[in-house]
Amino acid sequence: MMAAPMSWRKLVYSPVLTGVFTRISDRLFRTRDRRRGSSVLLLAPLLAEADPSPLPVVRSPGSVEVQGTDGLRARFRWMAEHVPAFRVPGTHIHILTSPDQFYHTMKARIKTAKRRVVMASLYLGTGPLEQELVDCMQEALERSQEGDNPDLQVSILLDYTRGSRGKTNSRTMLLPLLKQYSSQMRVSLYHTPDLRGLLRLLVPQRFNETIGVQHIKAYLFDDDLIISGANLSDSYFTNRQDRYVLLENCGEVADFFSDLVGAVGDVSLQLQTDNSVSMMYGMVHPYRGNRDDFSASARQHIMEVVNTAHVRQHIAESERLVRESKGEEGGKEDTWVFPLVQMKPLGIQVDEQVTQRLLTDAGPGVTVFLTSGYFNLTRAYMSLVLGLGANYRILTASPEVNGFFGAKGIAGEIPAAYIHIARQFYSKVCQLGQQERVHLHEYHRAQWTFHAKGLWYYLRGQVRPCLTLIGSPNFGYRSVHRDLEAQIAIVTENQVLQAQLQEEQEMLYQRSTEVSSSTFQQPDRHVKLWVKLLTPLIKNFF
């Protein structure tokens, strides 16, 4: 009954059987390589999650309700003990509000870049708008060779599976530039170590990215940086609502993300001018080499960037505090930027732990606005939201603005799976009597899709947020366990920036309606029985 609406091909290529093939392949390839981990493995069991321990909660007496510079330092200083903390002027941070603004800001910054253009995304689309971006890079590189800025380097990091899909793809879009400017151009294609062996042979292009992808969205031009959840594709430039923050003239933050993207690029496949790929010398191959060796090597390479920046910023902050105590400096750098990295396949789970700590610390009186284009909270996040604590206003896509709405084949049923997940969550809220504290909203906008993610954190009695999370994670299983993710936590006392964040949050929620029990009684919320049965098995793949 469950499989009746599905063709045999869809059933064979379902993520459920993908898990079976993984286990079979694991046994077959284990004899070829005796070292544990070299065989095919999924990141975690299909039906179970390993919930990490939250970072230890150490509160300064009275720090929770204190406002102002000292209050924010006291409340959020624990982040600086675990990740780099960059202090910047709040006036250098700007919230972009539309796909069009995001697109034109990137084009303008590429054209004027003199030292570096670094772009990390899931993929680069193949339409005319994407070609304009490539043309901007070509213009900048041409100008560099004419002597205006001879040191310009362009580095692009994409996902191998998504960037290689189809005859015309991200790779073919960038090949002309790579051929013409090979000494100034680098294209890296990250390949998850979990797609290997028999699994890699059997899963087709359309489904192979469910195993894990490079999902970081960071766009860097000299010392200007855009952190977003948006990919480099036409819909993200026109009618797909996301979030975008521009950090202008923030050299230290830009250096960190340049180094981070560079480190991920180093452990990725390198695109060659003949459209082949190869690994850098001395690097372990992601799917031909031993899995544990690849993950350990990649983790060391990437964490070296994080740890070096952490130590450097810790020393700089100590020196800054000394100068401030002597009255030599202070006042202008009123905002903190904390980069949060999540790469569970490589053993890196900083973002997961920091997010859990934030939700753990969000006690009564705090209001958290949380948004995700694909609402599928991990069990750990859900338990923190449903436990007694902060007020939550959760925003997700309505079915008609879900990115999979209208898709062909089984992918077209994914919005229905999200309806089922949302209904289960709402039912749990009601069962626990938390309707006054936890509210679920759906985003609506004709001819648009919704991809925004992150949160805004309002302290008790405050009308503006003092903290936001913005970047690529969706707070779901894939973000935590499968993909490479990065976002930033911005903590600010700058009232102008706080007002921008408030306006951004209100703009998104103004296009939403609150979910009630009647929502799921509407005809367009009907979920087929086989979708309900499959959802618990496949929800860890999307």
Side-chain angles (χ1 to χ4, degrees), residues 90-91 93-97 456 464-465 494-506:
T91 53
I93 300 179
H94 312 281
I95 305 301
L96 310 181
T97 57
W456 300 259
R464 293 172 178 165
N494 184 286
Q495 294 187 5
V496 174
L497 179 54
Q498 287 183 353
Q500 286 188 61
L501 291 171
Q502 179 191 7
E503 290 169 7
E504 177 198 32
Q505 175 260 303
E506 290 178 346

mmCIF file of all heavy atoms in Angstrom, residues 90-91 93-97 456 464-465 494-506:
data_model
loop_
_atom_site.group_PDB
_atom_site.id
_atom_site.type_symbol
_atom_site.label_atom_id
_atom_site.label_comp_id
_atom_site.label_asym_id
_atom_site.label_seq_id
_atom_site.Cartn_x
_atom_site.Cartn_y
_atom_site.Cartn_z
ATOM 1 N N GLY A 90 29.459 48.511 14.684
ATOM 2 C CA GLY A 90 28.148 48.130 14.176
ATOM 3 C C GLY A 90 27.768 48.874 12.906
ATOM 4 O O GLY A 90 26.971 48.376 12.099
ATOM 5 N N THR A 91 28.353 50.046 12.704
ATOM 6 C CA THR A 91 28.065 50.835 11.506
ATOM 7 C C THR A 91 28.614 50.180 10.241
ATOM 8 O O THR A 91 28.251 50.591 9.134
ATOM 9 C CB THR A 91 28.657 52.243 11.637
ATOM 10 O OG1 THR A 91 30.059 52.143 11.962
ATOM 11 C CG2 THR A 91 27.958 53.021 12.745
ATOM 12 N N ILE A 93 28.142 47.008 9.511
ATOM 13 C CA ILE A 93 27.300 45.856 9.198
ATOM 14 C C ILE A 93 25.962 46.348 8.656
ATOM 15 O O ILE A 93 25.307 47.198 9.258
ATOM 16 C CB ILE A 93 27.087 44.970 10.434
ATOM 17 C CG1 ILE A 93 28.430 44.441 10.946
ATOM 18 C CG2 ILE A 93 26.146 43.813 10.129
ATOM 19 C CD1 ILE A 93 28.330 43.563 12.182
ATOM 20 N N HIS A 94 25.574 45.788 7.504
ATOM 21 C CA HIS A 94 24.354 46.225 6.838
ATOM 22 C C HIS A 94 23.502 45.004 6.483
ATOM 23 O O HIS A 94 24.017 44.013 5.953
ATOM 24 C CB HIS A 94 24.676 47.010 5.561
ATOM 25 C CG HIS A 94 25.716 48.072 5.760
ATOM 26 N ND1 HIS A 94 25.425 49.298 6.338
ATOM 27 C CD2 HIS A 94 27.043 48.094 5.481
ATOM 28 C CE1 HIS A 94 26.535 50.022 6.393
ATOM 29 N NE2 HIS A 94 27.528 49.312 5.887
ATOM 30 N N ILE A 95 22.221 45.083 6.765
ATOM 31 C CA ILE A 95 21.296 44.011 6.446
ATOM 32 C C ILE A 95 20.719 44.259 5.053
ATOM 33 O O ILE A 95 20.102 45.300 4.798
ATOM 34 C CB ILE A 95 20.157 43.927 7.476
ATOM 35 C CG1 ILE A 95 20.734 43.791 8.903
ATOM 36 C CG2 ILE A 95 19.239 42.755 7.147
ATOM 37 C CD1 ILE A 95 21.620 42.591 9.109
ATOM 38 N N LEU A 96 20.942 43.314 4.150
ATOM 39 C CA LEU A 96 20.325 43.368 2.831
ATOM 40 C C LEU A 96 18.970 42.670 2.921
ATOM 41 O O LEU A 96 18.813 41.698 3.656
ATOM 42 C CB LEU A 96 21.205 42.692 1.790
ATOM 43 C CG LEU A 96 22.684 43.135 1.759
ATOM 44 C CD1 LEU A 96 23.442 42.405 0.648
ATOM 45 C CD2 LEU A 96 22.803 44.643 1.579
ATOM 46 N N THR A 97 18.003 43.167 2.177
ATOM 47 C CA THR A 97 16.636 42.678 2.399
ATOM 48 C C THR A 97 16.010 41.963 1.214
ATOM 49 O O THR A 97 14.963 41.339 1.366
ATOM 50 C CB THR A 97 15.712 43.852 2.791
ATOM 51 O OG1 THR A 97 15.753 44.844 1.755
ATOM 52 C CG2 THR A 97 16.172 44.476 4.110
ATOM 53 N N TRP A 456 16.587 35.579 15.725
ATOM 54 C CA TRP A 456 16.760 36.888 16.359
ATOM 55 C C TRP A 456 16.446 36.696 17.836
ATOM 56 O O TRP A 456 15.440 36.079 18.194
ATOM 57 C CB TRP A 456 15.809 37.920 15.760
ATOM 58 C CG TRP A 456 15.966 38.165 14.298
ATOM 59 C CD1 TRP A 456 16.611 39.207 13.684
ATOM 60 C CD2 TRP A 456 15.418 37.369 13.233
ATOM 61 N NE1 TRP A 456 16.508 39.098 12.313
ATOM 62 C CE2 TRP A 456 15.794 37.984 12.011
ATOM 63 C CE3 TRP A 456 14.659 36.195 13.181
ATOM 64 C CZ2 TRP A 456 15.423 37.463 10.766
ATOM 65 C CZ3 TRP A 456 14.304 35.671 11.949
ATOM 66 C CH2 TRP A 456 14.677 36.311 10.765
ATOM 67 N N ARG A 464 14.097 45.472 20.635
ATOM 68 C CA ARG A 464 14.996 45.196 19.525
ATOM 69 C C ARG A 464 15.910 44.033 19.879
ATOM 70 O O ARG A 464 16.300 43.873 21.033
ATOM 71 C CB ARG A 464 15.842 46.430 19.187
ATOM 72 C CG ARG A 464 15.033 47.589 18.623
ATOM 73 C CD ARG A 464 15.887 48.834 18.492
ATOM 74 N NE ARG A 464 15.133 49.938 17.917
ATOM 75 C CZ ARG A 464 15.524 51.198 17.952
ATOM 76 N NH1 ARG A 464 16.675 51.512 18.535
ATOM 77 N NH2 ARG A 464 14.789 52.152 17.399
ATOM 78 N N PRO A 465 16.280 43.235 18.889
ATOM 79 C CA PRO A 465 17.165 42.090 19.164
ATOM 80 C C PRO A 465 18.599 42.533 19.388
ATOM 81 O O PRO A 465 19.084 43.476 18.746
ATOM 82 C CB PRO A 465 17.043 41.238 17.896
ATOM 83 C CG PRO A 465 16.724 42.223 16.816
ATOM 84 C CD PRO A 465 15.882 43.284 17.465
ATOM 85 N N ASN A 494 24.767 48.221 19.203
ATOM 86 C CA ASN A 494 24.552 49.357 18.311
ATOM 87 C C ASN A 494 23.066 49.459 17.972
ATOM 88 O O ASN A 494 22.490 48.554 17.374
ATOM 89 C CB ASN A 494 25.375 49.160 17.027
ATOM 90 C CG ASN A 494 25.288 50.343 16.095
ATOM 91 O OD1 ASN A 494 24.271 50.552 15.449
ATOM 92 N ND2 ASN A 494 26.358 51.110 16.025
ATOM 93 N N GLN A 495 22.443 50.555 18.352
ATOM 94 C CA GLN A 495 20.997 50.674 18.216
ATOM 95 C C GLN A 495 20.549 50.743 16.763
ATOM 96 O O GLN A 495 19.460 50.274 16.419
ATOM 97 C CB GLN A 495 20.501 51.896 18.992
ATOM 98 C CG GLN A 495 20.676 51.760 20.492
ATOM 99 C CD GLN A 495 20.027 52.886 21.274
ATOM 100 O OE1 GLN A 495 19.355 53.740 20.699
ATOM 101 N NE2 GLN A 495 20.218 52.883 22.585
ATOM 102 N N VAL A 496 21.383 51.318 15.899
ATOM 103 C CA VAL A 496 21.029 51.379 14.479
ATOM 104 C C VAL A 496 21.013 49.972 13.885
ATOM 105 O O VAL A 496 20.100 49.600 13.142
ATOM 106 C CB VAL A 496 22.011 52.285 13.704
ATOM 107 C CG1 VAL A 496 21.732 52.229 12.206
ATOM 108 C CG2 VAL A 496 21.921 53.722 14.211
ATOM 109 N N LEU A 497 22.025 49.165 14.213
ATOM 110 C CA LEU A 497 22.067 47.791 13.727
ATOM 111 C C LEU A 497 20.944 46.967 14.337
ATOM 112 O O LEU A 497 20.313 46.150 13.648
ATOM 113 C CB LEU A 497 23.428 47.161 14.037
ATOM 114 C CG LEU A 497 23.621 45.702 13.600
ATOM 115 C CD1 LEU A 497 23.319 45.518 12.122
ATOM 116 C CD2 LEU A 497 25.039 45.233 13.921
ATOM 117 N N GLN A 498 20.660 47.165 15.613
ATOM 118 C CA GLN A 498 19.539 46.467 16.235
ATOM 119 C C GLN A 498 18.230 46.799 15.518
ATOM 120 O O GLN A 498 17.391 45.920 15.297
ATOM 121 C CB GLN A 498 19.436 46.850 17.710
ATOM 122 C CG GLN A 498 20.511 46.242 18.594
ATOM 123 C CD GLN A 498 20.328 46.602 20.064
ATOM 124 O OE1 GLN A 498 19.461 47.409 20.413
ATOM 125 N NE2 GLN A 498 21.125 46.002 20.927
ATOM 126 N N ALA A 499 18.075 48.062 15.122
ATOM 127 C CA ALA A 499 16.867 48.473 14.400
ATOM 128 C C ALA A 499 16.793 47.799 13.035
ATOM 129 O O ALA A 499 15.712 47.389 12.585
ATOM 130 C CB ALA A 499 16.838 49.992 14.247
ATOM 131 N N GLN A 500 17.937 47.665 12.360
ATOM 132 C CA GLN A 500 17.959 46.955 11.076
ATOM 133 C C GLN A 500 17.529 45.505 11.238
ATOM 134 O O GLN A 500 16.762 44.974 10.434
ATOM 135 C CB GLN A 500 19.367 46.994 10.474
ATOM 136 C CG GLN A 500 19.799 48.315 9.894
ATOM 137 C CD GLN A 500 21.126 48.164 9.149
ATOM 138 O OE1 GLN A 500 21.236 47.414 8.188
ATOM 139 N NE2 GLN A 500 22.140 48.866 9.617
ATOM 140 N N LEU A 501 18.033 44.867 12.288
ATOM 141 C CA LEU A 501 17.675 43.464 12.535
ATOM 142 C C LEU A 501 16.190 43.327 12.858
ATOM 143 O O LEU A 501 15.524 42.389 12.407
ATOM 144 C CB LEU A 501 18.519 42.911 13.680
ATOM 145 C CG LEU A 501 20.011 42.736 13.389
ATOM 146 C CD1 LEU A 501 20.772 42.402 14.671
ATOM 147 C CD2 LEU A 501 20.233 41.648 12.343
ATOM 148 N N GLN A 502 15.675 44.273 13.628
ATOM 149 C CA GLN A 502 14.252 44.249 13.956
ATOM 150 C C GLN A 502 13.400 44.421 12.697
ATOM 151 O O GLN A 502 12.414 43.701 12.487
ATOM 152 C CB GLN A 502 13.923 45.353 14.953
ATOM 153 C CG GLN A 502 12.445 45.408 15.340
ATOM 154 C CD GLN A 502 12.091 46.666 16.105
ATOM 155 O OE1 GLN A 502 12.922 47.568 16.242
ATOM 156 N NE2 GLN A 502 10.877 46.747 16.604
ATOM 157 N N GLU A 503 13.799 45.353 11.835
ATOM 158 C CA GLU A 503 13.060 45.585 10.595
ATOM 159 C C GLU A 503 13.097 44.352 9.694
ATOM 160 O O GLU A 503 12.096 43.998 9.057
ATOM 161 C CB GLU A 503 13.650 46.798 9.863
ATOM 162 C CG GLU A 503 13.383 48.119 10.559
ATOM 163 C CD GLU A 503 14.191 49.256 9.961
ATOM 164 O OE1 GLU A 503 14.851 49.048 8.918
ATOM 165 O OE2 GLU A 503 14.157 50.366 10.541
ATOM 166 N N GLU A 504 14.260 43.689 9.642
ATOM 167 C CA GLU A 504 14.380 42.479 8.845
ATOM 168 C C GLU A 504 13.434 41.402 9.360
ATOM 169 O O GLU A 504 12.707 40.762 8.588
ATOM 170 C CB GLU A 504 15.816 41.967 8.885
ATOM 171 C CG GLU A 504 16.023 40.663 8.131
ATOM 172 C CD GLU A 504 17.302 39.945 8.520
ATOM 173 O OE1 GLU A 504 17.716 40.049 9.694
ATOM 174 O OE2 GLU A 504 17.878 39.259 7.654
ATOM 175 N N GLN A 505 13.446 41.193 10.666
ATOM 176 C CA GLN A 505 12.591 40.172 11.267
ATOM 177 C C GLN A 505 11.115 40.494 11.032
ATOM 178 O O GLN A 505 10.332 39.623 10.621
ATOM 179 C CB GLN A 505 12.898 40.073 12.764
ATOM 180 C CG GLN A 505 11.990 39.136 13.540
ATOM 181 C CD GLN A 505 10.896 39.874 14.274
ATOM 182 O OE1 GLN A 505 11.167 40.759 15.085
ATOM 183 N NE2 GLN A 505 9.655 39.536 14.000
ATOM 184 N N GLU A 506 10.736 41.747 11.235
ATOM 185 C CA GLU A 506 9.333 42.125 11.074
ATOM 186 C C GLU A 506 8.895 42.015 9.617
ATOM 187 O O GLU A 506 7.766 41.612 9.328
ATOM 188 C CB GLU A 506 9.111 43.546 11.600
ATOM 189 C CG GLU A 506 9.232 43.648 13.112
ATOM 190 C CD GLU A 506 9.051 45.066 13.618
ATOM 191 O OE1 GLU A 506 9.101 46.007 12.773
ATOM 192 O OE2 GLU A 506 8.861 45.254 14.834
#
